[in-house]
Amino acid sequence: MGRSFFAILGFCAVFCISSVAADGEYDPAVYPELAENEARANEGLPPVKTPLPNTMAGTSLSPTRNGSVMDAPKFVDDADMNFDDVGDALAGEDNKPAPADIPMLQTSPVQPKPAETSAEAVPPAESEIKVDAGQPLTENLKESGSGTWINKLAEKAESKVSAATSSEKNNTGAENSLENMVEKAKRRNQRSNASVFDISGAMLRMSFKQIDDTLTRRGFRRTMQKMDIPNFIRWRNEDKCRASGVVGYERLENCVIKVAKRDKHQYVESAIYTKYDTKETIMVRFTSNFTDNKAYKISYKSEAANITGNSQKAIYLRNIKIYDFWKKINQKYGNPDNRDDVIWGLGGNKPYLQAATGRLILEDPMLRELDYTRMSREDQRFMNTDLYSF
């Protein structure tokens, strides 16, 4: 046990000595003076003191780890750092000769050649162009230039200026006329032609068959249809039926209707169409057969915008329906001509469209009055017949 302990202790001592020796190693190529001194120390001779070279005399020395020195390079001499003679050097610059005048590669055709300037050259004071700030450039060129090339240059400049001015005037006139047209178009009281509007495809002056086919294709169902006879035709047929011996209210009514159908005086007065899934209703009114039984009024009603209740859900749904209704109205018909009453139309007795929340009315009053006028003429013709035999 004791032997092994001393063996381990000896191994550690050898390892420490070898590491210290390894730490003191150096490169003989880098430090030759150290190698020579070490060799002399091994032989028992004193070390050699190497003098500093002349190049290191003016440099700063930096010590190394082993005691040697390294020279730091010196880039600027002390004489170069002296700026006292800078003023003398700058003063001498004024005495240097002027740089040589290098001729241009190509001589200008206007300027005279160097050989000709000796006898015929114009003095500088006479060759300068005098400019009058109150006159345009072309006038200055004309007055100052004696040669023909200056006059030609002035004429070209004048022609370009006049052409630009004329084109500018033409463009200005065209722009002014266009602006006037735009302003007139803005000021013009444009109105919508409601006779070409439709509600779910149903338009004014359509026949009953056309209205029925159109709304049926749109998903509406006819829930009511009312037949009618003009009053003066009804009263005339009542007189005829009584004269033929018909007695009783029901029999008289049946007789009046039968005679009106035979004479083609009975017509569809109104029809109602309903779309149950969207709660929409359309009512169409027609004229008599004296104007070919055409649609003169189309009324639309939607119950979706009339959601009742004060709960948050009811208020939210109602607002959404109202917003969607007016959004589609604006997309389909545009801005109304009368914003206060929300009416589209040419005014007067012409067709118009009026809108309210969940409601639309498309009407042609002129067609209705035309129907009344024709019926009135027929009634007068009937009344002018000889009713008395005495």
Side-chain angles (χ1 to χ4, degrees), residues 322-341:
I322 292 173
Y323 173 78
D324 188 57
F325 175 81
W326 287 110
K327 179 181 177 181
K328 290 185 177 179
I329 289 292
N330 189 34
Q331 290 176 351
K332 186 171 184 178
Y333 305 113
N335 296 326
D337 301 318
N338 186 349
R339 294 178 180 271
D340 296 332
D341 298 331

Side-chain angles (χ1 to χ4, degrees), residues 5 8 13 39 110 190 221 232 246 258 260 264 282 289 314 390:
F5 174 76
I8 294 173
V110 178
Q190 295 182 349
R221 181 182 299 178
F232 71 98
V246 177
K258 184 177 180 180
K264 296 182 180 180
I282 295 178
N289 289 333
F390 57 89

Side-chain angles (χ1 to χ4, degrees), residues 323-385:
Y323 173 78
D324 188 57
F325 175 81
W326 287 110
K327 179 181 177 181
K328 290 185 177 179
I329 289 292
N330 189 34
Q331 290 176 351
K332 186 171 184 178
Y333 305 113
N335 296 326
D337 301 318
N338 186 349
R339 294 178 180 271
D340 296 332
D341 298 331
V342 196
I343 296 176
W344 293 260
L346 300 174
N349 203 25
K350 296 179 181 179
Y352 70 91
L353 172 69
Q354 187 172 10
T357 303
R359 297 176 183 273
L360 288 173
I361 295 177
L362 182 61
E363 186 175 5
D364 188 357
M366 187 168 55
L367 180 59
R368 181 59 173 164
E369 287 193 3
L370 178 62
D371 188 48
Y372 283 155
T373 301
R374 291 186 179 180
M375 287 192 294
S376 177
R377 289 177 181 176
E378 179 66 19
D379 189 20
Q380 289 177 2
R381 187 185 66 81
F382 173 72
M383 293 300 296
N384 291 334
T385 56

Side-chain angles (χ1 to χ4, degrees), residues 133-383:
Q135 293 182 355
L137 177 61
T138 56
E139 295 297 332
N140 289 323
L141 290 174
K142 284 183 179 179
E143 292 178 0
S144 61
S146 59
T148 57
W149 69 276
I150 295 182
N151 294 330
K152 290 182 180 180
L153 180 61
E155 291 175 2
K156 287 183 179 180
E158 283 183 350
S159 62
K160 289 182 179 180
V161 169
S162 60
T165 306
S166 61
S167 63
E168 210 173 285
K169 288 181 179 178
N170 295 334
N171 294 336
T172 305
E175 290 178 359
N176 291 336
S177 61
L178 182 59
E179 289 179 358
N180 293 334
M181 292 175 61
V182 172
E183 291 296 330
K184 288 181 181 179
K186 288 181 179 179
R187 289 194 300 267
R188 189 181 303 166
N189 188 13
Q190 295 182 349
R191 289 180 174 269
S192 305
N193 186 9
S195 61
V196 298
F197 288 175
D198 69 279
I199 298 177
S200 296
M203 300 178 64
L204 296 173
R205 296 178 180 264
M206 275 187 174
S207 64
F208 169 73
K209 188 176 185 307
Q210 291 174 338
I211 292 287
D212 189 73
D213 294 342
T214 301
L215 294 181
T216 301
R217 287 196 302 268
R218 293 295 182 96
F220 288 88
R221 181 182 299 178
R222 188 172 74 238
T223 57
M224 191 272 288
Q225 177 181 341
K226 181 182 178 182
M227 308 295 294
D228 199 3
I229 302 170
N231 287 333
F232 71 98
I233 298 294
R234 178 184 295 276
W235 297 332
R236 187 195 306 175
N237 292 342
E238 286 180 357
D239 293 340
K240 290 180 180 180
C241 290
R242 287 194 185 98
S244 62
V246 177
V247 180
Y249 176 79
E250 293 181 358
R251 291 183 180 180
L252 185 63
E253 185 67 19
N254 292 333
C255 180
V256 169
I257 294 173
K258 184 177 180 180
V259 175
K261 285 182 179 180
R262 184 191 63 190
D263 299 336
K264 296 182 180 180
H265 288 152
Q266 189 181 28
Y267 65 96
V268 180
E269 190 269 339
S270 62
I272 297 178
Y273 296 87
T274 306
K275 196 173 184 180
Y276 294 103
D277 54 350
T278 56
K279 298 181 180 180
E280 294 174 295
T281 303
I282 295 178
M283 182 178 183
V284 186
R285 294 185 178 274
F286 300 89
T287 60
S288 66
N289 289 333
F290 290 96
T291 49
D292 299 330
N293 196 209
K294 301 294 184 180
Y296 74 92
K297 186 175 182 180
I298 304 173
S299 302
Y300 170 87
K301 181 180 179 183
S302 176
E303 296 295 337
N306 298 327
I307 299 176
T308 59
N310 295 327
S311 63
Q312 293 183 356
K313 179 181 178 180
I315 294 173
Y316 172 77
L317 293 177
R318 182 164 57 247
N319 293 336
I320 288 295
K321 293 293 183 182
I322 292 173
Y323 173 78
D324 188 57
F325 175 81
W326 287 110
K327 179 181 177 181
K328 290 185 177 179
I329 289 292
N330 189 34
Q331 290 176 351
K332 186 171 184 178
Y333 305 113
N335 296 326
D337 301 318
N338 186 349
R339 294 178 180 271
D340 296 332
D341 298 331
V342 196
I343 296 176
W344 293 260
L346 300 174
N349 203 25
K350 296 179 181 179
Y352 70 91
L353 172 69
Q354 187 172 10
T357 303
R359 297 176 183 273
L360 288 173
I361 295 177
L362 182 61
E363 186 175 5
D364 188 357
M366 187 168 55
L367 180 59
R368 181 59 173 164
E369 287 193 3
L370 178 62
D371 188 48
Y372 283 155
T373 301
R374 291 186 179 180
M375 287 192 294
S376 177
R377 289 177 181 176
E378 179 66 19
D379 189 20
Q380 289 177 2
R381 187 185 66 81
F382 173 72
M383 293 300 296

Side-chain angles (χ1 to χ4, degrees), residues 26 28 31-48:
Y26 56 89
Y31 304 101
E33 69 277 4
L34 298 180
E36 185 178 358
N37 290 335
E38 186 176 356
R40 292 177 65 87
N42 294 332
E43 294 176 2
L45 299 177
V48 179

